């Protein structure tokens, strides 16, 4: 199993540009999550999904959108990039909501200038 | 959500035991205590969790105080690969809670392991 994969690994955006961060898991997990981690800080939950077609907001959802059309994929969309969105983004999945073990991807480092 | 207090940083020598403390005095009676760690430039990885009893797995041991207001993650023999940020995360065990399913990461403890 590849586990949780994320693309791209790095990206530089100009203010106002849009992009989609891709996340795929091959463990057939129903639950998926997006977190962001600012320098020197812990992770904050952006959005999560309990299954295909069902998503909900986390702690810091503003400026982001998600969709979940398949069990495997959970893309995160930034519509109008702002410098405050400069961060490292992690996708995670788990067997069930609140599972003790969440599996994390390697992260996408995004810089908005 | 229960608040946690962890030391900003700790140091250890290779092959020695490491005790990483966490205070969670406002923890709910039904919250499990989870520990995750994050190696440099990687996503977090699950280490261990427990409710009341001490727990052991292949990675570490978790000692939980009798009043559950604190816990200690124990690495029995630190290796260089254990250098990471360690997060203590109380998490509700009941599915009906509003914070269920959402891990709340604080700043954690940066563990440095010296050769």
């Amino acid at each position: 199993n590849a586990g949780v994969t994320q693309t791209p690994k790095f990206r530089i955006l100009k203010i106002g540009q849009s992009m989609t961060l891709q996340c795929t898991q091959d463990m057939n997990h129903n639950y998926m999550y997006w977190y962001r981690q600012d320098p020197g800080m812990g992770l904050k939950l952006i959005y999560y999904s309990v299954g295909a077609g069902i998503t909900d907001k986390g702690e810091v959802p503003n400026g982001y959108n998600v969709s979940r059309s398949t069990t495997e994929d959970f893309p995160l969309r930034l519509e109008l990039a702002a410098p405050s969105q400069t961060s490292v983004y992690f996708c995670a999945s788990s067997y069930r909501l609140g599972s003790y073990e969440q599996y994390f991807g390697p992260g996408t480092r995004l810089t908005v200038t | 959500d229960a608040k946690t207090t962890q030391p900003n940083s700790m140091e250890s020598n290779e092959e020695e035991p490491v005790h990483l403390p966490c205070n969670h005095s406002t923890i709910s009676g039904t919250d499990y205590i989870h520990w995750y760690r994050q190696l440099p430039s990687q996503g977090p990885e699950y280490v261990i969790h427990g409710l009341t009893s001490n727990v052991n797995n292949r990675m570490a041991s978790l000692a939980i105080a009798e009043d559950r207001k604190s816990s200690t993650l124990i690495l029995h023999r630190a290796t260089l690969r254990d250098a990471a940020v360690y997060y203590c995360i109380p998490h509700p065990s009941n599915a009906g809670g509003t914070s269920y399913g959402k891990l709340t990461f604080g700043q954690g403890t940066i563990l440095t392991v010296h050769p």
Side-chain angles (χ1 to χ4, degrees):
Chain A
N1 286 350
V4 179
T5 57
Q6 293 183 237
T7 57
K9 285 188 168 53
F10 304 94
R11 183 73 186 269
I12 298 175
L13 280 182
K14 294 191 185 305
I15 294 172
Q17 286 185 320
S18 301
M19 77 163 294
T20 299
L21 282 67
Q22 302 291 346
C23 174
T24 300
Q25 53 89 12
D26 63 358
M27 297 172 283
N28 203 31
H29 286 167
N30 283 329
Y31 304 103
M32 298 187 73
Y33 316 81
W34 273 106
Y35 295 87
R36 61 176 284 175
Q37 184 173 34
D38 297 332
M41 306 295 287
L43 282 71
K44 293 185 178 179
L45 183 66
I46 305 172
Y47 271 96
Y48 67 101
S49 169
V50 302
I54 307 171
T55 63
D56 205 352
K57 295 177 181 179
E59 184 183 357
V60 288
N62 291 344
Y64 306 94
N65 279 303
V66 293
S67 59
R68 184 96 181 271
S69 56
T70 66
T71 298
E72 294 78 20
D73 300 307
F74 189 39
L76 177 72
R77 177 87 178 156
L78 282 72
E79 289 295 349
L80 291 170
S84 61
Q85 293 176 305
T86 294
S87 191
V88 180
Y89 292 83
F90 291 101
C91 179
S93 72
S94 66
Y95 174 64
R96 62 180 185 275
L97 192 65
S99 174
Y100 307 126
E101 190 164 359
Q102 289 189 12
Y103 295 83
F104 285 79
T108 294
R109 185 176 297 275
L110 176 68
T111 301
V112 182
T113 61
Chain B
D1 290 353
K3 292 198 183 303
T4 60
T5 303
Q6 297 180 254
N8 288 335
S9 62
M10 292 184 66
E11 297 187 19
S12 174
N13 294 318
E14 209 174 4
E15 306 277 318
E16 290 183 355
V18 181
H19 290 229
L20 297 161
C22 180
N23 284 325
H24 31 75
S25 57
T26 60
I27 194 170
S28 161
T30 56
D31 283 356
Y32 279 81
I33 300 151
H34 297 226
W35 283 80
Y36 278 72
R37 72 180 185 181
Q38 186 173 19
L39 278 64
S41 301
Q42 294 189 28
E45 66 174 339
Y46 166 84
V47 177
I48 201 168
H49 77 276
L51 184 62
T52 55
S53 304
N54 294 345
V55 184
N56 301 296
N57 67 18
R58 63 177 177 81
M59 289 180 71
S61 296
L62 177 60
I64 301 171
E66 199 169 329
D67 63 7
R68 293 191 4 103
K69 293 185 177 181
S70 65
S71 61
T72 301
L73 180 71
I74 303 166
L75 307 179
H76 294 287
R77 291 180 64 192
T79 68
L80 296 178
R81 195 194 173 277
D82 291 321
V85 180
Y86 285 79
Y87 298 97
C88 161
I89 306 173
H91 183 78
S93 59
N94 58 314
T98 56
S99 58
Y100 186 70
K102 306 166 192 174
L103 294 178
T104 300
F105 289 79
Q107 293 192 249
T109 296
I110 300 170
L111 176 65
T112 301
V113 181
H114 299 291

